[in-house]
Amino acid sequence: MQLPVVYQKAKEQVCKIWTTLQPLLTVHVGLASSATALIILEQCGKNKGYQERDACGFHPEGACCMLDGPEKIESTINMKTLWKNVSVEGIDIILSRDAGRYICDYTYYTSLYYGNGRAAFIHVPPLSESVTAEFLGKALQTIILAMLEQCGEQRE
């Protein structure tokens, strides 16, 4: 599902995902236009600091995701373990604790909030000659399968 670059609409769709589909895990993928050959695994979402305006010219009330929410929410997926154990030939994978204060982080925090931490966020580079859609799809598949393995271990 493609989410709009609009805070309120993204929040509504994320809420709908959790209430209607009730997934085991939701994995969000966002574009990191400054990264040329880098996949970034985001560990946590932040609640405050959303001053930048979205595609419709708005920013969230109070510059935060949830007025009553905690300052940050950690994913139940251990991204550090993933980062250490998963490798994809031809692209570097790094770990991050700051997804930025725009739609990506806003969406991630919202999903972590509604999903009780059962969400993940991956920043990917733009498509290029070296990073094709097929290559990126296979890389994401490898990473997401490792995430699902962690979910299985948590359930046991």
Side-chain angles (χ1 to χ4, degrees), residues 79-152:
M79 299 297 180
K80 189 171 187 177
T81 299
L82 223 61
W83 168 68
K84 286 180 177 178
N85 297 327
V86 174
S87 65
V88 177
E89 191 173 327
I91 195 161
D92 289 328
I93 300 173
I94 66 167
L95 179 65
S96 169
R97 296 188 62 79
D98 189 351
R101 292 305 174 286
Y102 196 48
I103 303 296
C104 290
D105 200 11
Y106 185 86
T107 299
Y108 189 26
Y109 181 93
T110 302
S111 194
L112 288 164
Y113 183 88
Y114 286 115
N116 296 311
R118 296 183 335 249
F121 198 100
I122 305 168
H123 267 118
V124 297
L127 298 179
S128 64
E129 276 187 35
S130 61
V131 181
T132 63
E134 182 179 1
F135 174 81
L136 195 53
K138 287 180 180 175
L140 287 170
Q141 182 179 27
T142 299
I143 293 166
I144 293 168
L145 286 172
M147 288 178 178
L148 289 171
E149 282 181 28
Q150 274 193 31
C151 289

Side-chain angles (χ1 to χ4, degrees), residues 45-62:
K46 307 263 182 6
N47 191 22
K48 297 178 179 165
Y50 297 92
Q51 300 289 345
E52 193 170 340
R53 297 188 183 280
D54 63 21
C56 291
F58 298 104
H59 58 79
E61 180 186 352

